[in-house]
């Protein structure tokens, strides 16, 4: 069969190249012919040179085409191309091309991430240079498979099977090479148990050792031998020591990492952050800690979380209003007796200005509010102190003005969770802070509509009426009766007024 002819590797022909590479899966052109032509003509390095040119002159169209081309080459799933693309000379430009996905609003950060995490620390005692190179290459392949490439379940069976085999065989080579080195595992254990080993160094060793163990256990024929080796080296006492000394630090570090992934997610609408939110809720759920920790230890953990880490989660919420907010958003807001710069009697408080506009930010804020609602229910004491001292509910309710109705609904749900606790201190905070004002405004804005937000607003007031929360009923009736006259056809507000009048009558009878 004749050799496939490729378009010349030039900027003005990137469109042709992209069409050829991306359509090969839908045509009769054999993948083998295209892969062989790319390899024989040294085509990939030439494409990567064009990438450098396009990036230097900010040629966005060219960068988007190169993204399609490089992804299409990876989709060919040919080992002869992986050897080139995962090499030291090419890997950074390959992932650089994959940063320019035309579906994303801004370029990714794969090169930065790869440079940070792929650096093999010198304290991991691997002496064989070829083995070190194999580890680097395998990590790159895993990075592309796990972070950049799609889920194989979204494609036909066996999609990217060669890449899977490439990674698996490379891991096998690495495992065999490390097991041949009789000094490797003893040196790792010596550094793990040495009190002089720095915390960061110990964590990196633990990460490496964890992956090493995970893959070793997938090989049934070598598992027993490997476990015997670990037992001789004192694996269990070492693990116990590490868990006792670093459990809190590692857990809080993991919490911060998960929060940052949630609030920095480039595509939250794809649902990737849902799994992260489940993980975070599991990490900070006191009920899940009871099996392994005492009440005192749980309280101590939550105190550390609210002292050091909660601000990472609330940062997007604080940034959703204008800087006028930050001029008054200080820590001088007294927990008792609500006399401070945010109190209702302070006429110098400026109005909040909502800065949220784009859909992506709104999605992230909705996720943050959902997590904070979880904290309201599970961390009753710590969250109450935090909300009141930071006046967090006021900051959340400014989102009721958002053009994104799902975000306004999330803000309302946050308030509903707080009201649902029927806590006297929360009720005083809401009433004295006049925090029903944005809620009433939302009712007036939606009075002639039939939507989910309106239903949720009515449910909040109905809950207050049914539960007979007198402090809030009195506040609503005395401050918003005139405003709510325009929606008096809704029986809930009439019911609140009736409850209010009944309570006043009873008080008068008692006085008499």
């Amino acid at each position: 069969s004749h050799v496939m002819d490729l378009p010349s590797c030039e900027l003005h022909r990137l469109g042709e190249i992209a069409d050829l590479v991306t359509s090969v899966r839908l045509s009769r052109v054999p993948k083998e012919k295209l892969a062989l032509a790319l390899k024989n003509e040294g085509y990939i390095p030439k494409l990567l040179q064009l990438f450098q040119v396009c990036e230097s002159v900010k040629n966005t169209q060219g960068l988007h085409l190169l993204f399609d081309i490089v992804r299409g080459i990876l989709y060919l799933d040919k080992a002869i191309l992986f050897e080139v693309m995962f090499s030291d000379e090419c890997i950074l430009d390959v992932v650089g091309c994959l940063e320019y996905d035309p579906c994303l609003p801004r370029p990714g950060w794969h090169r930065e991430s790869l440079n940070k995490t792929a650096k093999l620390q010198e304290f991991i005692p691997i002496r064989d240079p070829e083995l070190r190179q194999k580890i680097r290459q395998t990590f790159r392949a895993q990075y592309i498979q796990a972070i950049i490439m799609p889920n194989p379940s979204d494609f036909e069976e066996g999609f990217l099977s060669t890449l899977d085999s490439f990674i698996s065989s490379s891991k096998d080579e690495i495992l065999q090479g490390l097991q041949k080195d009789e000094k490797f595992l003893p040196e790792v254990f010596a550094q793990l148990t040495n009190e002089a080993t720095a915390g960061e160094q110990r964590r990196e060793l633990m990460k490496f050792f964890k992956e090493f163990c995970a893959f070793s256990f997938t090989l049934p024929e070598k598992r027993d031998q490997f476990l015997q080796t670990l037992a001789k080296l004192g694996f269990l006492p070492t693990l116990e020591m590490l868990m006792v000394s670093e459990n809190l630090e590692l857990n809080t570090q993991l919490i911060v990492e998960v929060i940052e992934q949630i609030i920095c997610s480039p595509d939250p609408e794809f649902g990737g952050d849902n799994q992260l939110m489940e993980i975070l809720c599991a990490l900070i759920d006191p009920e899940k800690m009871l099996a392994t920790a005492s009440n005192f230890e749980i309280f101590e953990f939550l105190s550390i979380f609210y002292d050091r880490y909660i601000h990472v989660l609330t940062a997007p919420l604080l940034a959703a209003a204008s800087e006028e907010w930050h001029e008054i958003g200080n820590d001088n807001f007294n927990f008792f007796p609500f006399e401070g710069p945010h109190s209702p009697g302070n006429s110098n408080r400026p109005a909040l200005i909502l800065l949220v506009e784009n859909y992506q930010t709104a999605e992230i804020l909705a996720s943050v509010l959902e997590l904070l609602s979880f904290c309201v229910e599970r961390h009753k004491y710590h969250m109450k102190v935090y909300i009141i001292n930071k006046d967090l509910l006021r900051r959340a309710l400014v989102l009721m003005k958002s053009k994104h109705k799902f975000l306004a609904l999330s803000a309302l749900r946050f308030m509903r969770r707080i009201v649902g606790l029927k806590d006297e201190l929360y009720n005083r905070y809401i009433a004295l802070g006049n925090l029903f004002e944005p809620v009433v405004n939302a009712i007036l804005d939606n009075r002639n509509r039939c939507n989910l937000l309106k239903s949720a607003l009515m449910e909040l007031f109905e809950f207050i009426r049914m539960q007979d929360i007198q402090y809030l009923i009195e506040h609503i009736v005395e401050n918003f009766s005139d405003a709510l006259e325009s929606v008096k056809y809704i029986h809930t507000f009439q019911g609140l007024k009736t409850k209010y009048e009944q309570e006043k009558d009873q008080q008068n009878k008692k006085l008499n």
Side-chain angles (χ1 to χ4, degrees), residues 165-214:
S165 300
F166 180 86
I167 293 172
S168 181
S169 62
S170 297
K171 283 187 173 182
D172 196 22
E173 288 180 42
I174 293 168
L175 183 62
Q176 291 180 18
L178 292 176
Q179 289 182 338
K180 286 178 183 178
D181 187 345
E182 297 180 355
K183 296 181 180 180
F184 171 70
L185 282 177
E187 287 186 20
V188 170
F189 273 79
Q191 291 190 41
L192 283 173
T193 55
N194 190 342
E195 293 183 359
T197 302
E200 182 181 359
Q201 180 178 345
R202 183 178 281 114
R203 283 192 293 273
E204 291 298 327
L205 284 166
M206 288 172 66
K207 290 176 187 176
F208 185 87
F209 185 62
K210 174 189 171 186
E211 187 169 354
F212 178 69
C213 290

Side-chain angles (χ1 to χ4, degrees), residues 372-390:
L372 292 176
S373 298
F374 174 87
C375 293
V376 166
E377 290 191 337
R378 300 303 175 95
H379 308 159
K380 290 183 173 62
Y381 170 76
H382 291 86
M383 192 60 175
K384 179 162 59 178
V385 172
Y386 186 82
I387 287 175
I388 295 177
N389 282 342
K390 300 295 183 183

